[in-house]
Amino acid sequence: MAADDLGAGVAVLDDRVVPFTVPDLDVRGRVVRLGPSIDTILGRHDYPEPVSRVLGEAAALTVLLGTALKFEGRFQLQTKSDGPISMMVVDFNAPDTYRAVAHIDEAKLEQAVASGNLSTGDLLGEGHLAMTVDQGSQTTRYQGVVALNRQSLEEAAHQYFRQSEQIPSRIRLGVGSVVTGAGREWRAGGLLVQFMPHSPDRLRAADLHPGDAPEGHDILTNTDPDGISDDSWAEARSLVETVEDHELLDPMLESERLLYRLFHERGARVFEPVAVQEACRCSRERVLGMLRGFSAEDRKAMVADDGTLGVTCEFCSRRYTFEASEVEAGLLPVAE
């Protein structure tokens, strides 16, 4: 794929991912900006502001990772924990669609709001985060799981890459709302940078701590959280950590310009952007198949007084209604 030098004027665009490389630092990465798509998802469910913020972070992280898939398949991020946000699910269907939903413990959320404990770690609590790659029925699914111990999603993602991918990585996520002519709208953004040197030696972790030193002597140890002692990675990581939330969310600061700010001295290069959109995987056929998968007794219990079965998709809130006789007879209902 042809690449373009950064610095040229480009149009401001939302709902897209910009891949890039910085050859001088041996890093690659992606920047995501979510605008109308994440505003649609969060507005549809009308979540409380703290919940919208965390789900927006999860969506930005999922899109960052999902757009790296080189095949037609699905990448899913799911959390299950004991906090006010008891579960989140974000599905990315390659190459370009995603959907997201959160489940809330209302009582715990009220307590969190009253006490002011509204960080991402506070809202998720303790549990686990799973990232699943599904290439279809012909292949085995891959899943990586990390513990949630009241840390941020950024920290959980770093842990995932250390233990599952073994690739030094840094992620920045930002979510917020901006006021436009149409009102207040949600936005989300993210930046992923990964260290990919040609020489495997540069990925080696530092030696273990040598132990006690003689009195009066200091022990020089590697303080890199990834255990990598490499100047290029240290520089790239430090630059990523300077990125502010407003830089990820500002609708007037396009992704290419942000990358130019960070890496222009090193000759960063960008590749063709990937446009993404909000879209649900539900359909009348899928829902009908799900209903037929229940036992006859369960299906009977679902029938309303008017003889219909109703199902609402928890992702997109679309309502599907079927005649009980249609489900039992195996006939597809007429599309609404």
Side-chain angles (χ1 to χ4, degrees):
M1 180 183 298
D4 298 318
D5 289 316
L6 287 173
V10 294
V12 178
L13 295 172
D14 286 328
D15 292 334
R16 64 174 188 154
V17 179
V18 178
F20 69 92
T21 64
V22 187
D24 282 0
L25 296 179
D26 285 326
V27 299
R28 70 180 184 186
R30 290 182 293 283
V31 181
V32 61
R33 295 293 185 89
L34 301 178
S37 65
I38 194 66
D39 186 62
T40 296
I41 289 173
L42 299 181
R44 173 187 292 140
H45 295 285
D46 194 25
Y47 295 118
E49 186 277 337
V51 177
S52 290
R53 175 175 49 79
V54 177
L55 186 59
E57 290 180 357
L61 175 59
T62 302
V63 173
L64 274 176
L65 302 181
T67 49
L69 298 180
K70 304 301 182 184
F71 52 82
E72 295 287 334
R74 183 171 63 153
F75 176 84
Q76 183 185 81
L77 179 151
Q78 180 173 350
T79 67
K80 189 173 183 180
S81 55
D82 63 2
I85 302 177
S86 58
M87 187 177 73
M88 291 191 300
V89 179
V90 186
D91 280 335
F92 182 86
N93 291 281
D96 60 4
T97 63
Y98 75 103
R99 61 181 186 171
V101 68
H103 290 181
I104 307 168
D105 185 314
E106 297 287 355
K108 289 183 178 180
L109 182 60
E110 288 181 7
Q111 294 175 1
V113 172
S115 62
N117 296 322
L118 298 175
S119 70
T120 297
D122 291 330
L123 293 174
L124 292 178
E126 298 185 2
H128 69 266
L129 178 151
M131 299 188 188
T132 305
V133 177
D134 187 350
Q135 300 184 52
S137 59
Q138 303 302 314
T139 60
T140 302
R141 294 197 312 168
Y142 167 79
Q143 184 176 78
V145 180
V146 298
L148 290 176
N149 294 303
R150 298 185 178 278
Q151 74 270 48
S152 69
L153 281 177
E154 292 174 354
E155 293 168 330
H158 296 159
Q159 182 181 346
Y160 166 80
F161 279 109
R162 281 195 298 269
Q163 73 179 39
S164 299
E165 304 291 337
Q166 298 183 340
I167 299 174
S169 306
R170 275 296 171 273
I171 289 175
R172 279 287 292 113
L173 301 171
V175 178
S177 58
V178 298
V179 178
T180 70
R184 186 171 294 275
E185 298 177 355
W186 283 100
R187 296 180 60 81
L191 169 65
L192 166 67
V193 174
Q194 298 181 303
F195 185 46
M196 304 290 291
H198 295 292
S199 171
D201 290 342
R202 295 175 64 194
L203 280 172
R204 289 182 179 175
D207 293 335
L208 295 175
H209 193 290
D212 296 333
E215 186 176 351
H217 291 76
D218 294 329
I219 297 175
L220 298 178
T221 58
N222 177 23
T223 58
D224 189 312
D226 297 300
I228 303 298
S229 181
D230 188 280
D231 291 342
S232 293
W233 176 235
E235 179 180 342
R237 190 186 67 250
S238 297
L239 289 171
V240 171
E241 291 170 354
T242 68
V243 176
E244 302 285 347
D245 283 4
H246 69 84
E247 293 180 288
L248 294 171
L249 303 177
D250 186 350
M252 301 307 295
L253 176 63
E254 62 267 30
S255 297
E256 290 86 347
R257 182 58 58 182
L258 173 59
L259 293 173
Y260 182 75
R261 284 184 180 180
L262 290 174
F263 301 114
H264 68 277
E265 293 183 358
R266 290 294 190 169
R269 295 173 67 82
V270 297
F271 296 86
E272 182 180 347
V274 178
V276 297
Q277 59 183 321
E278 173 272 330
C280 193
R281 298 175 63 242
C282 72
S283 67
R284 296 187 68 83
E285 290 75 16
R286 286 177 180 269
V287 174
L288 186 58
M290 177 197 70
L291 289 174
R292 289 172 178 162
F294 287 103
S295 67
E297 182 179 355
D298 288 338
R299 290 198 304 273
K300 183 178 180 180
M302 297 178 191
V303 178
D305 293 340
D306 63 358
T308 64
L309 288 79
V311 177
T312 300
C313 176
E314 64 176 355
F315 283 95
C316 69
S317 301
R318 183 176 180 184
R319 182 74 175 175
Y320 295 91
T321 302
F322 302 89
E323 295 292 337
S325 58
E326 293 174 329
V327 177
E328 299 301 326
L331 297 176
L332 289 176
V334 177
E336 296 178 349

